[in-house]
Amino acid sequence: MGQGSGRQERSKKLELATTETMQAEADIQSDKEETKETKTRDERLRLVFGMADLKNKAIGLYNIGQTCCLNSLLQVFLMNTHFTGILRRITVPSSTSQQRRSVPYQMLLLLEKMQSGKQKAVFPSDLACCLSAHRVKLFVQYDAAQLLLTLWNLVKSQVTNPELTEKLSDLYTIWVQEYMVCQECSFETKRNSSMITLPLSMLDSSSHLLRTLEECLHYFFCPEELTGHNMCFCEHCGKKTPFLQSMKLAHLPKTLILHLKRFCFRKSASIHKLCHTLRFPQVLDFSAVLTEEQCQADASEKASWQYELFAVVAHSGSTDYGHYCAYIWSLVECKWYCFDDSRVCQVLWDDVKCTYGHSDFHWGQTAYLLVYMKKNPR
């Protein structure tokens, strides 16, 4: 009886040892597969972004005096690996004085500074001084949409390589066709126009609140009657007449920036902030939002109008005093981060949705700029 019990015990120990060995081998195999998968993913990312952009980390920027707006916009630019890929190819200015005045070069230096050290935040002082040299005032409050346009114009005008200038335009420029039709003689004029942002009203012509991004986009491309003091001069009629003005979408860029016009004028001429809830999706299909009459594009162009949300620049506070921060999707890590000056933390989509706005919370965060990234074709 004792020998049988001993044999059973040794048999169980043998089975246990065999099981542990098999489990260890399985774990090693799993680790190898995981390592191989990680290497394959990194190689794939290098092909898309380049070796340097794999270092893109969520690093904060210190507020050096009312620079929350500038910091938020810089994060949106520098977390966009398509933009930094262009930035890394610029021609370095020859002299020290030219380097100090070059906005693209100073942005590149800031990017390298953010990626090279172990610090959680860096000072954007040199870039701020560079902007100051171009009459961009420091220590004042800015409107994010206006400052974005200022930064864009400075960067584009100072990139000397024509190929890179074209790439920048392709990355951010929206093209539309504007139509003007006289309502008395039907004389029509049209012209092509470009813009960096789509300025979307959050109120319709009757001052009713628009509640979704899709409603705002549809309203933006709806024809508008110009009557009364808005009438235009018609060359055929030889006088001011009512006109029908409309815009048709022709081309959308890789990076699409939408400006939610939360600041508007009241009848008393004072500026008022609209804080009501306006929902925006993570995935946006422009071809499904607009009608055929609102588009001037062929089938291949429309097929590329599939977008995913990349960043939200949010404003909190009133028209007189406020604060900006940015929620950005890391293209490398595939995670959402909140950039609030020097404070950076990982967040969830539910946190981003808190920027939809709420009429009862006037001081809460509300989305002001939405940045969408075109989906990569499969």
Side-chain angles (χ1 to χ4, degrees), residues 93 97 101 141 348:
S97 60
R101 290 182 59 87
Q141 291 193 72
L348 302 174

Side-chain angles (χ1 to χ4, degrees), residues 19-35:
T19 303
E20 289 176 348
T21 302
M22 292 174 64
Q23 182 63 46
E25 290 175 351
D27 289 343
I28 292 171
Q29 183 64 28
S30 177
D31 290 341
K32 286 181 179 178
E33 290 176 357
E34 187 175 338
T35 303

Side-chain angles (χ1 to χ4, degrees), residues 287 298-306:
S287 59
D298 56 27
S300 61
E301 170 68 25
K302 288 182 182 179
S304 69
W305 288 357
Q306 307 285 329

